[in-house]
Amino acid sequence: MQEWASQLCENRQFGSKMTDSKYFTTTKKGEIFELKAELNSDKKEKKKEAVKKVIASMTVGKDVSALFPDVVNCMQTDNLELKKLVYLYLMNYAKSQPDMAIMAVNTFVKDCEDPNPLIRALAVRTMGCIRVDKITEYLCEPLRKCLKDEDPYVRKTAAVCVAKLHDINAQLVEDQGFLDTLKDLISDSNPMVVANAVAALSEIAESHPNSNLLDLNPQTINKLLTALNECTEWGQIFILDCLANYTPRDDRESQSICERVTPRLSHANSAVVLSAVKVLMKFMEMLPKDLDYYGTLLKKLAPPLVTLLSAEPELQYVALRNINLIVQRRPEILKHEMKVFFVKYNDPIYVKLEKLDIMIRLASQANIAQVLAELKEYATEVDVDFVRKAVRAIGRCAIKVEQSAERCVSTLLDLIQTKVNYVVQEAIVVIKDIFRKYPNKYESVIATLCENLDSLDEPEARAAMIWIVGEYAERIDNADELLESFLEGFHDESTQVQLQLLTAIVKLFLKKPTETQELVQQVLSLATQDSDNPDLRDRGYIYWRLLSTDPVAAKEVVLAEKPLISEETDLIEPTLLEELICHIGTLASVYHKPPSAFVEGSRGVQHKRLPGSAGSGESVESPDTVSAAGVSDAPPAVIPSQGDLLGDLLNLDLTPPATTGPPPPATSGMQLGAMDLLGGGLDSLMGDESEPPPIPLRTDTPQSPQIPHQSPSPPDYSPTELGGDLGGSSAMGAGFGAPPAATAASFTAPVSGGLDDLFDLGGGVGMPMGAYSPPKTVWLPAMKGKGLEISGTFSRRAGVIQMEMTLTNKAMSVMTDFAIQFNRNSFGLAPAGPLQVLTPLSPNQSIDVTLPLNTVGPVMKMDPLNNLQVAVKNNIDVFYFSCQYPISILFVEDGKMERQVFLATWKDIPNDNEAQFQIKDCHLSSDAASNKLQGSNIFTIAKRTVDGQDMLYQSTKLSNGIWVLAELRVQTGNPNFTVCLKCRAPEVSQCVFQSYEAVLKN
C-alpha cells in the first residue's frame, strides 16, 4: 500500500506546480457522473486526472464502485503510473464486483508478457491481491510464466503471489505444481528470489504444519546461508527464521551455521539482530560448553543486545522482553553488562520495570553492592509503582545472594525510617520473605516493624505483618494484643488478611494456650459461623476439629517447620522458556506467552523446542524426518475436541455395581488405575470398603468435633460398568467373553486351476526375525501437559500388546498418582493393569513405563481406524491426547492359514475388496522380506517364482478375528514391491499396508 500511496504524493509529471492534495478537497455533488465522462475521455491526461480523483474518493471512504467498468477500461495503457492506480482500484473493489473483475483477466495475461519487467511484476502482484475465487483459475498460466521469468524482480514477486493464491485456493496451487516451482526457486541465483521463496513456503507451511514443504537438509541450508549475505534486511529475516526451524545433525554442523550467521549480529535492523540471536541461541544448545567457540559466541552475543538498548523506548522495551528470556536461559551472556540496565531518569515506566527485572536476574555476589546502591536510589523516586518494584527488588536480592542479605535488611530498615507509607508496606512484605529464607537470623528487626503496625492499610502488607506476629509470637510480649486489634474489624478485612489472622491466632494459642483461649474461640466462631467465605470456613473447621481432637497433632501440623522459599519464584517454566526462545523476535517473546495462547484458533501454530544439548543423550532428529509404521509424525491432536473424548469419558457409568461377591482387595494409593480419572470414583477413596459415601468438601457446621479415621481403598466397580477400558486390576476383564472366533466362510469351495499349483512349489521361508516396534514419538508435549511430557510407542512381545512410554517431568513440582484410561476405539484396546509408576516423578526426571494392553474393551469405529484417545491423570490434572498405533500389534500368533483354506478364502472374498499398494525403496530379497514379516505375525503360506518375480502368498489374523490375505510380489533388482490385500473388512487394508511398509523398511 505504501508503494501505491507514494504515487499519489508525487508531483504531476506535466509541469503543474500543484500537488495531488487537491484531489482530496472536492465536495461537489453529481461527481460520479462527471468522473464517468472524464474516464471515457480520449485524452490520456484527462483520464489520469479522473483516475486520481476516483482513487482519492476511494481513499476517504466514498463508494465509487459504480465506476468499475469505466476504470477497468483505463487498464489498456502504457503509462505505468496510471496502470498502478487502476490496479489499486481493482484490488479494492474486485471482491464486491467479482463478475466485472473477470473483465480484467485478459489485461493481466497481456501485462504478464509485457516487455517491461515492472509491468509484469505489477500484474502478478495485483493478481495475488484479488481474492476472488472465480478468476483464480484464469491466473494460473500467467503466474506460471512469471515464476520462470528471466527477470529476478518478476520471479520474486511471483513467489509471494503463490502464497497469496494458496490462501485463496490451496488445492488449485497444489494441483498446478506451484509448490514444486517454489521449492526450485530456493536454488535461484538471485538472493531476493530465494528470500521470497522461503517467505512464501514458510507462510504456506504455517497454515499446513504437516505438509513438510520446507524440506530442510544440509544442501538447502547451504543455499540459504549463501543467499543470506546478499539479501535485503527483510529477506534476511525470512531466511534466519527458516534456519531457526532446522535441527543440525551434529555439533560440527551447528558450529558451521553459527559462524555464518554471526555477522548478522552487527546489522542495523533490530529485527535482523533478534532473528540472528534466535538462531544462535537454538544452535548453541548443541555445542559442548568446553568448546572454545562456545565461549567466543557468548562474548559476541552481548554487544548487539546492548546496542539495542540505545534505540527509542518502544524498541528498548521489545529488546528488554527478549533479553529477559535470554538471561533466564543463559545469564552468562550479559553477566558483565549490569550497568546498561541501570534506569535513566527519562525512561518510560514500562522500560524502567523491565530493566529492574533484568537487574535482579543478573545480580550476583560480584555486583550486589552496585545493584543495592542503585535500588536504594530508585526507592526515593516519585513514581509509586516503580518505587514499590524497587523495594521488592531489594528483598529479591537478599533471597538470591545470601552474602548480601544483611546489607539488604539494613537498607530496608533505612527505607522504613522514611515513614513513606507505601515504602514501609512493601518493605514489610519483603522482610516476611527474608524471614522465610533465613529463619532465626534477622528477627531483631521485629520491634521496628511493630512500630509501624497502625500505618498498614494494604491487604498484602497487613497479612505479612500478621504472619510475622503469629510466627514469632513467643518473642513478642504483646502478640495477643496486636492480633486482637486486627480482630476488631475482622469482617471488613480482605480474605487474604482473614485467612492469615485465623492461622496466626491458632499459632499463638498453640504457643501460649492459657492466655489466648478466649481469643482463639472468638476467631474460630467468626470464621465458621459468621463468614460466607467457603475457604475461610473450611480452614476454620479444620483448625477447630484438630484442636478439639488432638492438640499434639495440631501443633505438629500448624507449627511444622516450613520449607525455605526458593530464590527465583518468578522464573518462566523451563518448557515454556524453551518454546519462547524459539520465538525470539516475535510477539510471543514480548507477551511471554506461546503463540497458541493469543493466536485466534491457533491455526497452524506449532510448538517448538530447543534441540537436545551436546552429550545429553537426547536423539536429535531433523523435523522433516518421517516416521514409518503409519504412526503419524505430526503432533497428536489435543483431545478432547468437539466433546468427542471428553463426552465419552464423562459419560461412563460410574454408579456402584449391584453385583454380589467380594470387593477387590485394597491396594496402595499409587494404584489409581482402577478409578475413573474424571471424578466420581476418586471421591470414594475417602470411604471405607463396605460403604463408600462421598464426603462433602465443605460443610456449614461441624457434624462432630472428630473426623473418623478412614482407610483408603479403590471403589468397587464392576468391569462391565466401566467398559473394561480403565487400567484396573487383572480381574477387570473377567466380565467379558472371549473375542469372537474367526470364521472364514466358504472354505469348502471347489479348488481347481489358477492358484492350485503354486502350493506345490513350496516355500523357502527361513527363521523369523523379531517383531518390529516403531520409534517413540511425543504424544503429549510438556506445554499441553503442564510440564508432563509423554512419548511412547506400541509393541507386541510374546503375544502381549504393550504400550511403552517415557514420562518426563519438565515442571518444577513433583508428580505422583499416575493413572491412565482409554476411550472406546476400533479394536477394543484397553489397559490390562494399572499404570505402574511406583516412585514420585521429580522435576527433570524421566521414567520408562510399560503398560500391558488387552483387546476386550468397548469398541467404536475411529477415524483413522488405528486412532487411540487417551486420558492420563496425575496429582496435577487430567491430560488428554491421541496417538495412532501400528495395526501390526493386533496380528495374532495363530494367523497362519492352511493352504487349501487360503485358496478357498481368496476366491470367496469379492474382487471389489482387493486393494493394491506399492512399497518403494525396499532393498530386500523375498526370503529376507518373508522372515521380517513373520516376526510380526504375517505368515508366508507359499512362494513361487514367475519370470524372475517372486510371489509370496501370506495370511495374518487380527485380534478381533478378521483375516487378511496378501500377495507380495518381489522382482529381483527392483526396489519397489507390490502388495495385494484381500479382506472381508476392506477398511483395514490401508492400515495393514502401512504395517507392511513399516516392517519391511525398518
Side-chain angles (χ1 to χ4, degrees), residues 356-656:
L356 206 53
D357 205 33
I358 294 169
M359 280 172 64
I360 308 306
R361 298 200 191 285
L362 292 175
S364 63
Q365 194 175 346
N367 57 26
I368 193 68
Q370 208 177 13
V371 171
L372 273 179
E374 278 288 312
L375 294 175
K376 190 172 181 181
E377 195 69 32
Y378 300 160
T380 60
E381 290 264 349
V382 291
D383 192 314
V384 176
D385 287 337
F386 181 53
V387 171
R388 287 177 182 279
K389 190 95 184 242
V391 175
R392 295 224 172 192
I394 294 171
R396 282 174 63 188
C397 284
I399 290 166
K400 186 175 181 185
V401 186
E402 187 171 351
Q403 294 80 356
S404 73
E406 197 161 334
R407 190 182 294 177
C408 291
V409 171
S410 172
T411 305
L412 289 168
L413 287 175
D414 290 345
L415 292 172
I416 288 173
Q417 297 306 329
T418 64
K419 301 296 181 185
V420 177
N421 190 264
Y422 55 85
V423 174
V424 172
Q425 304 203 70
E426 287 296 330
I428 287 175
V429 171
V430 297
I431 285 174
K432 179 204 74 171
D433 290 338
I434 293 171
F435 285 169
R436 285 284 308 275
K437 178 72 174 175
Y438 309 110
N440 304 316
K441 208 167 182 184
Y442 301 108
E443 282 75 6
S444 56
V445 305
I446 290 175
T448 311
L449 302 182
C450 291
E451 290 169 12
N452 296 280
L453 206 61
D454 297 335
S455 65
L456 306 182
D457 55 14
E458 293 172 11
E460 194 174 4
R462 290 172 74 82
M465 193 66 226
I466 291 167
W467 182 89
I468 292 169
V469 173
E471 189 68 17
Y472 301 102
E474 69 277 12
R475 304 185 187 200
I476 304 171
D477 295 335
N478 61 338
D480 51 343
E481 293 173 18
L482 295 176
L483 292 177
E484 196 168 2
S485 67
F486 283 106
L487 203 58
E488 290 166 7
F490 186 80
H491 289 303
D492 299 326
E493 300 283 6
S494 70
T495 303
Q496 182 183 9
V497 176
Q498 288 177 333
L499 288 166
Q500 202 58 261
L501 189 55
L502 172 61
T503 303
I505 291 176
V506 171
K507 284 180 184 175
L508 178 65
F509 171 71
L510 291 169
K511 290 175 181 179
K512 301 178 179 179
T514 52
E515 304 162 33
T516 54
Q517 195 163 356
E518 192 177 323
L519 188 62
V520 79
Q521 284 178 342
Q522 187 182 351
V523 76
L524 287 173
S525 173
L526 286 168
T528 55
Q529 293 172 12
D530 302 343
S531 173
D532 295 328
N533 186 305
D535 293 333
L536 184 63
R537 250 191 352 253
D538 285 356
R539 190 181 291 192
Y541 283 134
I542 288 171
Y543 286 151
W544 189 341
R545 289 170 177 171
L546 267 174
L547 293 170
S548 62
T549 309
D550 190 349
V552 177
K555 203 164 189 172
E556 287 174 2
V557 171
V558 180
L559 301 180
E561 190 173 334
K562 291 160 193 63
L564 300 182
I565 62 174
S566 82
E567 58 186 51
E568 291 284 10
T569 53
D570 60 341
L571 284 175
I572 294 174
E573 195 183 39
T575 317
L576 176 57
L577 182 60
E578 278 192 16
E579 182 167 4
L580 292 178
I581 292 288
C582 294
H583 288 292
I584 282 177
T586 68
L587 268 180
S589 66
V590 178
Y591 290 160
H592 286 189
K593 291 180 179 178
S596 55
F598 59 85
V599 176
E600 189 176 349
S602 303
R603 182 176 77 98
V605 172
Q606 289 178 287
H607 293 289
K608 299 183 180 181
R609 292 182 57 186
L610 294 175
S613 57
S616 69
E618 288 187 39
S619 62
V620 179
E621 291 184 40
S622 182
D624 55 339
T625 306
V626 180
S627 72
V631 179
S632 172
D633 230 10
V638 178
I639 306 300
S641 66
Q642 304 282 323
D644 179 18
L645 172 64
L646 188 61
D648 282 335
L649 291 178
L650 285 172
N651 288 333
L652 288 174
D653 181 10
L654 297 175
T655 52

Side-chain angles (χ1 to χ4, degrees), residues 176-190:
Q176 292 287 336
F178 288 146
L179 295 181
D180 294 328
T181 313
L182 261 188
K183 290 178 187 176
D184 294 339
L185 287 181
I186 290 180
S187 307
D188 197 278
S189 56
N190 186 287

Side-chain angles (χ1 to χ4, degrees), residues 821-882:
Q821 183 171 324
F822 293 175
N823 195 10
R824 292 175 291 173
N825 54 81
S826 304
F827 295 93
L829 276 178
L835 185 60
Q836 298 283 356
V837 183
L838 301 177
T839 56
L841 192 59
S842 304
N844 297 317
Q845 183 189 357
S846 293
I847 190 167
D848 290 326
V849 183
T850 299
L851 178 71
L853 308 179
N854 58 36
T855 54
V856 295
V859 175
M860 179 179 74
K861 187 176 177 182
M862 304 295 288
D863 184 22
L865 208 61
N866 57 340
N867 194 33
L868 181 65
Q869 297 172 330
V870 184
V872 169
K873 171 199 161 293
N874 63 13
N875 60 319
I876 295 172
D877 206 345
V878 180
F879 308 104
Y880 306 95
F881 62 88
S882 70

Side-chain angles (χ1 to χ4, degrees), residues 915-951:
Q916 186 168 306
F917 303 94
Q918 284 280 326
I919 300 173
K920 297 182 178 178
D921 301 322
C922 189
H923 302 276
L924 290 173
S925 67
S926 58
D927 287 348
S930 177
N931 289 345
K932 265 198 162 192
L933 292 167
Q934 188 164 337
S936 293
N937 294 338
I938 299 173
F939 299 97
T940 301
I941 313 295
K943 169 188 169 184
R944 70 170 177 169
T945 305
V946 179
D947 298 330
Q949 186 179 52
D950 290 340
M951 321 269 274

